[in-house]
């Protein structure tokens, strides 16, 4: 008699989650079409996002830990290779042959792990998938338990805009509130059938927002990669056309030996004089021109005594005729005027230039504005979902991101807080400018320090800032942010 043993298949967490949620959906008083839509759209997205988040988390930990542990072990392996390689290699040929390859292999593993993590962005994708999964779960639980926005019935006109997503509920910009039509609420109890359309709309809003953030991040990454490729191509072209890299080096000119300007002749120098002391032929001093050989008769010229600084060495024991120098060369002539007279007037190159600090300062400020404007146009349209509150309160964060892209130091002790940014401007980083003198690239602070943006035109008639409702750097308004903050804005120009 044979006994069959059936091993129960281990149920994964995702199968358990799908089964539990499916049972709950089946118990709702909804048409079959609505139940099937909930399982195919909402529940499928919850399980998929949860599974992808766990997968990216595992790969992120694997690659990061490989790079970290390998970076710690590599110096130790290199030290062992140097210290023990020679000693153990004498007795163990296998060790001597293979162990030097260990540091190389370990360094390549570290490099591959870091490069794979940088390219695949497992850490960023883990956080994005986890956020989407938790938001979908929270929305589903509120719908199943009829809490939150599903607690009471909401009467809304048919042509009103779709409901806002969860990521936009904490703070919505003024223009969004103006776009919404008046709604009335009552305290009537509701059912799952009554708020099914509201729940479906909010789920679609969450999924669309996640897809849009992914596409925006992908476009930014591709633009950055394109810039890197262009830079590499320019470098390669510059190197390939530089002929000096392949030119043969030119040998240095042969310098005559020391003292060769007056070569000796039969033990005597020029004009039949004894070989001169090195002081006469010191480097940088003019040498006495050569003359015919000694056996050529020539008229003897009397020379006056040279200056003491150029006097020849003491005469040897055997007396020799000492010629006299009539007039020293012009190069050795003593100055006819005191030395300080030559420096009575400073050279023209050191003359004081007229003061030009004001134009230079204006030029520097104009250059800063141009850099800020260029970075503003470059980053226009980027997602600010990585900023505070998922982009809802990211106006100061966005402005500092532009300033940092312009290779400048971010503003404020807390770069995400508008009052801190304004304090930094008032304490020397910026200067207050009137509207008629405003330029493109100036910083525009809303009334009450509630918002901040960057001027796109002279006079700051058009200002670009973060849109809280879209979590994107796309809101273009007038100087006072279209009256959203109830007062007039102030304009500052960055100085450093």
């Amino acid at each position: 008699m044979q006994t069959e043993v059936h091993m129960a298949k281990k149920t994964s967490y995702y199968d358990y989650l799908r089964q539990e949620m499916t049972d709950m959906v089946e118990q709702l008083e909804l048409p079959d079409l609505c139940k099937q839509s909930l399982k195919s759209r909402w529940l499928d997205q919850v399980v998929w996002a949860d599974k992808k988040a766990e997968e990216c988390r595992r790969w992120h930990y694997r690659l990061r830990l490989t790079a970290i542990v390998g970076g710690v072990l590599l110096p130790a392996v290199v030290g062992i290779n140097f210290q023990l390689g020679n000693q153990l290699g004498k007795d163990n040929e296998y060790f001597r042959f293979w162990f030097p390859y260990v540091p190389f292999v370990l360094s390549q593993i570290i490099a591959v792990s870091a490069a794979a993590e940088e390219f695949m962005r497992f850490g960023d994708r883990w956080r994005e998938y986890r956020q989407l999964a938790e938001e979908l779960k929270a929305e589903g639980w509120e719908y199943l338990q009829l809490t939150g926005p599903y607690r009471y019935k909401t009467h809304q006109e048919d042509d009103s805009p779709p409901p806002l997503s969860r990521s936009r509920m904490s703070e919505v910009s003024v223009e969004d509130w103006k776009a919404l039509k008046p709604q009335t609420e009552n305290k009537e109890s509701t059912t799952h059938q009554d708020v099914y359309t509201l729940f479906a709309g909010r789920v679609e809003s969450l999924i669309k927002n996640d897809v849009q953030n992914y596409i925006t991040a992908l476009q930014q990454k591709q633009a950055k990669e394109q810039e890197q490729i262009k830079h590499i191509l320019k470098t390669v072209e510059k190197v390939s056309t530089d002929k000096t890299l392949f030119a043969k080096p030119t040998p240095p000119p042969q310098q005559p030996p020391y003292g060769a300007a007056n070569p000796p002749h039969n033990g005597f120098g020029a004009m039949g004089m004894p070989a001169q002391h090195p002081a006469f032929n010191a480097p940088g001093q003019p040498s006495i021109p050569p003359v015919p050989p000694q056996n050529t008769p020539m008229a003897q010229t009397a020379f006056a005594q040279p200056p003491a600084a150029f006097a020849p060495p003491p005469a040897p024991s055997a007396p020799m005729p000492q010629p006299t120098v009539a007039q020293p060369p012009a190069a050795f002539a003593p100055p006819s005027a005191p030395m300080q007279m030559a420096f009575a007037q400073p050279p023209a190159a050191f003359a004081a230039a007229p003061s030009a600090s004001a134009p230079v300062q204006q030029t520097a400020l104009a250059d800063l504005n141009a850099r800020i404007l260029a970075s503003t146009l470059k980053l226009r349209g980027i997602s600010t979902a990585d900023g505070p509150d998922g982009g809802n309160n990211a106006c100061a964060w966005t402005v500092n991101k532009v300033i940092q892209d312009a290779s400048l130091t971010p503003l404020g002790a807390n770069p995400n807080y508008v009052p801190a940014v304004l304090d930094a401007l008032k304490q020397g980083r910026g200067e207050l400018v009137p509207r008629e003198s405003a330029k493109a690239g100036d910083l525009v602070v809303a009334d009450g320090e509630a918002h901040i943006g960057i001027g796109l035109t002279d006079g700051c008639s058009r200002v670009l800032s973060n849109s809280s409702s879209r979590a994107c750097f796309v809101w273009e308004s007038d100087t006072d942010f279209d009256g959203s903050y109830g007062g007039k804005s102030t304009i500052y120009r960055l100085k450093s």
Side-chain angles (χ1 to χ4, degrees):
M1 179 177 180
Q2 296 181 350
T3 303
E4 295 183 358
V5 179
H6 298 280
M7 300 297 294
K9 183 179 180 181
K10 184 179 180 181
T11 303
S12 65
Y13 167 74
Y14 307 107
D15 295 335
Y16 167 78
L17 179 64
R18 185 184 294 273
Q19 185 62 39
E20 287 292 321
M21 291 295 183
T22 300
D23 294 342
M24 291 183 182
V25 170
E26 290 294 338
Q27 297 178 19
L28 299 178
E29 296 181 359
L30 291 174
D32 293 339
L33 178 61
C34 296
K35 293 180 181 179
Q36 185 65 29
S37 299
L38 282 177
K39 290 184 288 185
S40 300
R41 186 59 170 167
W42 169 72
L43 181 55
D44 182 73
Q45 286 293 316
V46 169
V47 176
W48 176 81
D50 211 332
K51 185 181 296 185
K52 294 294 290 185
E54 180 63 22
E55 179 182 348
C56 291
R57 184 187 69 84
R58 288 198 301 265
W59 276 108
H60 173 68
Y61 282 169
R62 289 170 184 170
L63 294 176
R64 292 294 295 169
L65 284 176
T66 300
I68 292 172
V69 174
V72 174
L73 294 179
L74 183 59
V77 173
V78 173
I80 293 174
N81 186 29
F82 280 104
Q83 295 295 330
L84 303 181
N86 295 332
Q87 299 178 7
L88 297 180
K90 296 177 181 179
D91 303 328
N92 192 331
E93 183 178 357
Y94 181 83
F95 182 89
R96 184 178 69 247
F97 181 79
W98 287 108
F99 193 80
Y101 292 99
V102 174
F104 171 76
V105 174
L106 185 58
S107 63
Q108 293 303 305
I109 293 175
I110 297 172
V112 170
S113 300
E117 167 62 21
E118 176 66 21
F119 179 76
M120 299 301 295
R121 296 174 51 249
F122 286 116
D124 296 337
R125 292 167 60 188
W126 164 35
R127 290 185 288 269
E128 293 170 1
Y129 288 132
R130 176 56 60 196
Q131 180 180 1
L132 175 62
E134 295 304 324
E135 287 182 347
L136 289 173
K137 287 180 183 178
E139 200 71 42
W141 282 116
E142 288 184 351
Y143 173 68
L144 292 174
Q145 300 177 22
L146 295 179
T147 60
Y150 311 104
R151 185 176 182 182
Y152 301 114
K153 289 183 178 181
T154 300
H155 300 288
Q156 183 172 320
E157 298 183 13
D158 295 337
D159 59 346
S160 59
L164 301 175
S165 62
R166 292 184 62 85
S167 61
R168 297 173 55 188
M169 294 301 294
S170 59
E171 178 184 344
V172 182
S173 62
V174 176
E175 64 268 20
D176 287 328
W177 288 116
K178 291 179 180 178
L180 292 176
K181 293 188 178 292
Q183 300 178 0
T184 58
E185 291 187 355
N186 57 16
K187 300 300 182 179
E188 298 180 12
S189 60
T190 185
T191 63
H192 292 95
Q193 179 66 37
D194 295 334
V195 293
Y196 173 78
T197 56
L198 177 62
F199 172 70
R202 295 173 71 90
V203 169
E204 292 301 322
S205 178
L206 286 173
I207 297 175
K208 288 180 180 179
N209 184 49
D210 177 72
V211 173
Q212 183 62 36
N213 290 340
Y214 172 77
I215 294 176
T216 302
L218 184 61
Q219 290 175 345
Q220 294 175 359
K221 183 179 179 181
Q222 290 177 345
K224 184 178 179 181
E225 291 176 350
Q226 290 293 335
E227 291 295 330
Q228 293 176 350
I229 293 174
K230 290 180 180 179
H231 179 71
I232 293 173
L233 292 177
K234 288 181 179 179
T235 304
V236 172
E237 182 180 2
K238 182 178 179 181
V239 172
S240 61
T241 56
D242 190 357
K243 298 181 180 180
T244 60
L245 296 177
F246 306 98
K248 295 182 179 180
T250 303
Q254 296 293 333
Q255 299 292 337
Y258 180 77
N262 289 320
H265 181 72
N266 295 330
F268 291 89
M271 297 178 292
M273 296 176 63
Q276 300 295 330
H277 189 270
F280 279 98
N281 290 321
Q285 300 293 344
S287 58
I288 301 174
V291 295
Q294 186 178 4
N295 55 3
T296 303
M298 61 178 296
Q300 299 295 329
T301 305
F303 294 90
Q305 189 67 21
F310 302 97
S317 57
M320 297 181 64
Q322 297 294 334
T324 58
V325 181
Q327 185 67 24
F332 301 107
S336 59
M339 292 298 291
Q340 60 271 19
M341 294 301 293
F343 302 94
Q345 296 294 334
F350 297 95
S355 176
S357 59
V360 171
Q361 184 178 7
Q362 293 296 332
T363 304
L365 294 180
D367 180 63
L368 288 182
N369 277 40
R371 289 161 56 184
I372 294 174
L373 179 61
S375 297
T376 301
L377 298 177
K378 172 185 174 184
L379 299 180
R380 181 171 186 166
I382 65 170
S383 172
T384 59
D386 293 336
D389 296 336
N392 291 327
N393 292 315
C395 58
W397 179 86
T398 307
V399 169
N400 270 315
K401 194 173 186 66
V402 171
I403 292 176
Q404 191 172 6
D405 183 79
S407 300
L408 300 173
T409 305
L411 292 168
N414 183 359
N416 300 334
Y417 189 46
V418 177
V421 173
L422 187 59
D423 289 342
L425 292 171
K426 292 179 179 179
Q427 293 175 4
R429 290 291 305 278
E431 61 177 0
L432 184 65
V433 295
R435 296 196 177 197
E436 55 272 13
S437 302
K439 298 291 184 182
D442 288 343
L443 306 184
V444 182
V445 182
D447 182 62
E449 304 176 7
H451 196 67
I452 189 170
I454 301 175
L456 296 176
T457 58
D458 290 344
C460 293
S461 58
R462 303 306 299 169
V463 179
L464 187 67
S465 61
N466 175 58
S467 173
S468 301
S469 59
R470 303 179 187 177
C472 194
F473 188 38
V474 294
W475 184 22
E476 184 174 339
S477 62
D478 61 8
T479 312
D480 299 320
F481 300 98
D482 297 335
S484 300
Y485 300 96
K488 291 188 174 297
S489 303
T490 55
I491 303 175
Y492 288 85
R493 182 164 300 159
L494 200 62
K495 296 168 58 179
S496 62

